[in-house]
Amino acid sequence: MTGAVLLRAENIARRFGSVVALRSADLEVRAGEVHALMGANGAGKSTLVKMLTGVLRPDAGRIVIRGTAHVFRSPAAARRAGLVSVYQDPALVPDLTVGDNMRLAGVAAAEVRRWMEQFGLGFVAPGAVVRELPLPLLRLIDLARALAAEPDILLLDEITAALPADLAAHVFAVARQWRARGRAVIFISHRLAEIAAICDRATVLRDGVSVGVVDPATGGEERIVSLMLGTSPQAAEARRPDHRAAGRPALEVKHLRAGELLRNVSFSLHPGEVLGVAALEGQGQAELFDCIAGLRRPDGGVILADGQEVRFRHPADAIGAGIVLVPADRVQALLPQRSVRENIALPLVRRLRDWGALPMRAEGARVAAAVRRLDIDTRAAAEVRRLSGGNQQKVVIARWLAHGFRTLLCFDPTRGIDIGTKRQIYALLRELAASGAAVLLFTSELPEIALACDRVVVLFGGRVVGEMPAAAADEPTLLRSAHGLTAAA
Amino acid sequence: MRRWLRERAIVVLVLLLVALVGGIAAVRPGTVTADWIANTLLFAAPLGLMAGGETLLLLTGGIDLSVASIATGAAYLLAANAAHGEMAALALGLGLGLLVGLLNGIGVAVFQVQPLVMTLGTGLMTEGVLVVYSQKIIANQPHVPQFVVALGSGRVFGVVPIDLFLWLPVAALLMLGLSRSGFGRLLYAVGDNPLACRMAGVRVWRVLVGAYAGCGLLAAVAGIVLVGTTNAADLSLANVYLLPAIAAAIIGGTSIFGGRGGYAGTIVGALILTVLDSLLTLLDAPEPVKQILYGAIILLLAAAYTRLTD
């Protein structure tokens, strides 16, 4: 592991207008190592990556690769210097075929093919149109393309996020192989377990500064977290007593059915309770949430809100019944060019009777209260698109705090969010439940179920295959149940 | 500097307007008088009103190509029916604007027709109906009521154009409405991300129908002011205003992709276009050359502005 230094970035700084994204970031990557780059959302990770890959130019500092200082004017220049990156969103043209994309990138088709076969993707025809392939496969195809260029330094930016375990295993294998060949991998992920398993060292960024280099393997996880947060981490709160009130459920679903994926789902959710939904990709959970939120109409079954049967034709109907949704994709829910205030106040003007003069002062107070409660970073508040991912997600949640609700639906609210913000969001969900709200939470990260929920239902093939108290829902139990293997107790 | 300018892009526009006026004063000393300024404002009012409607739609990510036909139609209906009662004729003219606007809104919002296609279609239909109508009522010579002529060409104290007393309150209402009303908020929101609006419980189609109806009504008002200025209702009255109405909003910094902009910029945009027009007239250039210059300057302005604000 003590190889020569392949890449050294020194004192990199960059600002966007008045927002300082990077103050002074350092990164040293040696030959024969897998190096993790970590940091909370907004710490400057993405900005540093863009600089390393030639997307942005630094205001100050320098990047040295194999002893030569570089100023990359384009991603192509970075590629020529031996640094190739693969992102969470694959850089493939959706309307072209896989083969055309490879020609476009100018890489050897045979070499890409070889890697794809190694990933078990031999079945993907070169004539397949990219748009029609699922995202996880595209990430691996993009990875194969990057590998075909034989880069000295491979940069993997959150490509394991929401990637099924078998496909993620291929990514890890590639990282280990690159290390064994005396090259280097820069690995970015929010999953500490992955970092600990495959990375040799981790550089942690906080507020645009490199705050430390850690060996993640030997109990380094807590150290990474404390570096990222700038404080000593609090252990996940102790388990709370069961809040579940005995009375009428806030939300009840009976034999709900929609499309091919949602077959027959029933459960009830009480005020004061956080009910988890655990499921593998595509087991009907998306359809379930869409039906309850009024985004699509079920083909059968009944939804009851506070004991009343409801039929939602539009999300406005669900909101009127006190049921609100925080979707997985925050880009769907936000007005990117508008301010934090307008984004949070959006549902306050949803009804015709709110179309007149705005109660500016009352609105300002409500928005400010929600911003404070969620601790939203408002340095770039004029346009929501300039906020970090975690802060954007907080804005979506703040919207409903400002508006009010009885039942909160959260669909994978922490996808791609750093651990600090995650904990804030879970603490908030607990708080909301404690004050009498009902929360339905789907998360793709199974260990989080036990952290945030009181109870969990497991979906498989569009049906509920298990229900258990969250205390009993450790990861192995949930995984077995989510694969439809055992009937949970 | 750049940042300062970006946040105060309107300052740049006003400076440009002043420079153009200065240009005129330099080319033809003695031209820029109180009278000239009054005239410029008088001519800018119909354009500014029409561009106001267009601004509402651009904010939602839409556009209206029927505004010139609506303006012409409203003016013609008013003039043709003035004999039967001037107030009724006025209501008829404004009603036409509202009707075509509603049709546009329903087509775009409910039937999901592309705004360009929908408004091009209703514009052509309006023109066709108007031709048929004018042939039917040939016996009834159109005449523009006196109060409309006063509105479109009268002056208070011999200086202040009367149409300012209509334009200014409308402008104040638009600016206030865009920043301080729920409907105004939603125009920006729908233009920025309609899906987000739906998820937040907004019934997007209502916002769009409201915006198109408002644009139609403003176009009708503009047509009526215009016919008061020309004092002759013909069937090509407002044709030349279509592209300037859109250009005024774009020069004024309203994004054609929706979600960004406002009416203050549009007002300055309308004034710049009006001054530019009189500058080119003063230059005594042949009509084609004027058109080339006019087009080139609009392009330059729009490009410069986009670079500045993005």
Side-chain angles (χ1 to χ4, degrees):
Chain A
M1 193 205 97
T2 49
V5 174
L6 265 186
L7 175 144
R8 188 198 303 274
E10 294 166 349
N11 297 320
I12 305 286
R14 169 81 196 202
R15 52 192 295 156
F16 299 99
S18 60
V19 180
V20 179
L22 275 184
R23 249 171 254 285
S24 167
D26 299 296
L27 176 67
E28 182 199 81
V29 180
R30 298 183 194 143
E33 76 166 336
V34 180
H35 195 110
L37 182 58
M38 315 226 28
N41 286 323
K45 263 188 336 265
S46 332
T47 313
L48 181 57
V49 167
K50 282 179 185 155
M51 244 101 56
L52 293 177
T53 54
V55 177
L56 287 175
R57 267 187 269 172
D59 295 337
R62 57 189 209 135
I63 298 168
V64 180
I65 293 184
R66 287 192 189 281
T68 318
H70 288 270
V71 179
F72 297 135
R73 289 172 188 283
S74 69
R79 226 169 5 249
R80 280 195 295 277
L83 196 156
V84 174
S85 44
V86 185
Y87 298 102
Q88 192 173 7
D89 300 311
L92 298 166
V93 183
D95 286 318
L96 293 184
T97 63
V98 172
D100 288 342
N101 265 291
M102 296 312 148
R103 270 191 286 283
L104 200 62
V107 290
E111 193 61 9
V112 177
R113 205 72 224 158
R114 197 175 65 72
W115 281 109
M116 280 172 62
E117 268 154 27
Q118 195 158 341
F119 297 152
L121 302 183
F123 63 91
V124 178
V129 175
V130 164
R131 186 185 292 288
E132 286 156 11
L133 296 172
L135 179 67
L137 293 195
L138 293 181
R139 286 207 190 132
L140 286 191
I141 294 172
D142 203 17
L143 177 61
R145 178 174 72 169
L147 293 172
E150 288 285 320
D152 283 345
I153 305 164
L154 181 66
L155 195 155
L156 304 177
D157 190 354
E158 285 192 39
I159 72 165
T160 53
L163 204 63
D166 53 333
L167 297 183
H170 288 303
V171 176
F172 303 146
V174 163
R176 292 196 180 99
Q177 191 182 341
W178 238 240
R179 169 168 57 198
R181 289 168 60 181
R183 299 179 179 195
V185 178
I186 301 174
F187 187 79
I188 298 172
S189 164
H190 282 305
R191 298 184 180 178
L192 286 170
E194 290 177 2
I195 303 279
I198 68 157
C199 294
D200 303 302
R201 294 191 302 158
T203 294
V204 182
L205 288 178
R206 185 176 74 238
D207 294 335
V209 180
S210 304
V211 287
V213 180
V214 185
D215 175 357
T218 51
E221 295 180 24
E222 280 307 307
R223 174 138 172 73
I224 290 176
V225 172
S226 66
L227 280 174
M228 276 167 54
L229 298 178
T231 54
S232 55
Q234 297 166 334
E237 324 90 90
R239 285 241 50 85
R240 303 132 302 265
D242 199 333
H243 287 294
R244 181 146 47 127
R248 196 167 56 195
L251 174 72
E252 202 172 353
V253 165
K254 289 180 183 163
H255 309 297
L256 202 67
R257 195 154 56 72
E260 290 293 298
L261 290 176
L262 185 62
R263 298 294 175 79
N264 181 357
V265 166
S266 307
F267 62 82
S268 57
L269 167 64
H270 288 81
E273 184 184 34
V274 180
L275 175 62
V277 175
L280 303 173
E281 196 72 27
Q283 304 302 315
Q285 64 271 36
E287 291 72 12
L288 174 67
F289 275 69
D290 284 354
C291 287
I292 303 175
L295 281 163
R296 82 179 270 174
R297 292 183 210 175
D299 299 331
V302 187
I303 301 171
L304 297 119
D306 283 322
Q308 296 284 319
E309 187 179 339
V310 285
R311 284 174 195 280
F312 300 142
R313 300 159 54 87
H314 189 281
D317 299 330
I319 295 165
I323 301 174
V324 303
L325 171 70
V326 174
D329 185 359
R330 29 190 190 271
V331 177
Q332 284 184 347
L334 289 171
L335 311 172
Q337 306 179 83
R338 308 306 300 172
S339 65
V340 166
R341 175 177 179 147
E342 285 181 40
N343 269 279
I344 292 178
L346 182 60
L348 300 178
V349 293
R350 67 190 171 84
R351 290 167 305 185
L352 269 177
R353 74 172 104 123
D354 307 315
W355 281 16
L358 289 170
M360 296 303 277
R361 197 170 294 177
E363 181 193 285
R366 276 196 193 197
V367 169
V371 165
R372 262 198 311 279
R373 180 146 182 206
L374 278 168
D375 190 21
I376 295 173
D377 179 351
T378 51
R379 274 178 305 170
E383 281 185 305
V384 156
R385 61 178 167 168
R386 305 213 188 277
L387 298 186
S388 67
N391 273 304
Q392 288 181 342
Q393 187 63 284
K394 286 184 188 175
V395 169
V396 181
I397 299 173
R399 168 183 292 172
W400 296 122
L401 292 187
H403 178 274
F405 59 86
R406 282 199 295 281
T407 301
L408 179 67
L409 313 173
C410 288
F411 193 88
D412 222 357
T414 56
R415 184 185 286 179
I417 282 188
D418 68 83
I419 185 158
T421 307
K422 260 181 200 171
R423 287 185 182 180
Q424 275 180 318
I425 288 178
Y426 289 135
L428 177 79
L429 294 185
R430 294 304 330 168
E431 241 177 84
L432 291 171
S435 60
V439 180
L440 185 68
L441 169 71
F442 165 74
T443 170
S444 56
E445 294 176 49
L446 296 179
E448 298 183 358
I449 295 270
L451 201 67
C453 302
D454 296 305
R455 195 159 57 97
V456 52
V457 292
V458 185
L459 297 190
F460 179 72
R463 296 166 206 278
V464 175
V465 293
E467 184 188 329
M468 61 193 97
D474 54 22
E475 203 177 348
T477 313
L478 281 176
L479 261 182
R480 270 199 302 279
S481 181
H483 281 92
L485 290 181
T486 50
Chain B
M1 180 62 187
R2 216 186 135 105
R3 193 178 125 72
W4 186 88
L5 282 178
R6 189 182 318 164
E7 278 158 18
R8 294 166 187 76
I10 190 132
V11 174
V12 182
L13 278 180
V14 172
L15 286 178
L16 182 73
L17 178 62
V18 172
L20 279 174
V21 174
I24 290 184
V27 172
R28 288 273 192 287
T31 311
V32 180
T33 58
D35 201 44
W36 179 87
I37 292 174
N39 258 330
T40 303
L41 288 173
L42 184 80
F43 290 130
L47 178 60
L49 288 165
M50 215 183 281
E54 212 62 75
T55 305
L56 300 183
L57 294 187
L58 290 178
L59 287 179
T60 68
I63 196 165
D64 190 344
L65 297 184
S66 65
V67 283
S69 312
I70 292 174
T72 305
Y76 194 84
L77 275 188
L78 169 73
N81 292 286
H84 308 311
E86 297 185 341
M87 280 305 135
L90 180 67
L92 208 59
L94 295 177
L96 176 81
L98 209 54
L99 180 74
V100 179
L102 277 173
L103 228 70
N104 285 335
I106 290 167
V108 170
V110 181
F111 296 100
Q112 311 273 313
V113 183
Q114 274 290 321
L116 273 172
V117 177
M118 184 69 205
T119 57
L120 187 66
T122 54
L124 288 172
M125 280 163 59
T126 308
E127 281 175 32
V129 168
L130 220 56
V131 170
V132 175
Y133 181 77
S134 70
Q135 287 162 351
K136 288 274 185 218
I137 55 134
I138 195 98
N140 211 345
Q141 190 58 35
H143 107 98
V144 183
Q146 201 46 50
F147 75 94
V148 174
V149 175
L151 174 70
S153 53
R155 307 273 180 93
V156 177
F157 308 124
V159 192
V160 187
I162 292 181
D163 63 5
L164 275 193
F165 292 95
L166 177 68
W167 188 21
L168 286 182
V170 170
L173 193 72
L174 280 177
M175 286 195 281
L176 218 64
L178 283 177
S179 61
R180 293 293 176 92
S181 81
F183 181 63
R185 275 281 179 78
L186 287 174
L187 291 178
Y188 288 98
V190 166
D192 205 4
N193 186 353
L195 179 60
C197 291
R198 179 170 137 82
M199 288 178 120
V202 177
R203 295 181 198 271
V204 173
W205 69 271
R206 291 182 182 168
V207 182
L208 288 177
V209 169
Y212 279 87
C215 179
L217 189 62
L218 278 168
V221 172
I224 289 166
V225 173
L226 190 64
V227 80
T229 310
T230 62
N231 200 2
D234 66 75
L235 291 180
S236 57
L237 177 76
N239 283 2
V240 295
Y241 279 83
L242 173 57
L243 292 179
I246 297 167
I250 293 172
I251 290 174
T254 297
S255 160
I256 60 164
F257 301 111
R260 244 176 344 154
Y263 190 54
T266 303
I267 294 176
V268 186
L271 289 173
I272 287 178
L273 288 181
T274 310
V275 171
L276 189 61
D277 201 39
S278 59
L279 177 67
L280 290 175
T281 311
L282 278 177
L283 287 179
D284 232 1
E287 189 58 31
V289 174
K290 274 203 295 194
Q291 279 188 15
I292 293 168
L293 281 174
Y294 193 75
I297 290 171
I298 290 176
L299 279 180
L300 268 175
L301 278 178
Y305 203 89
T306 315
R307 285 180 161 264
L308 188 68
T309 51
D310 227 26

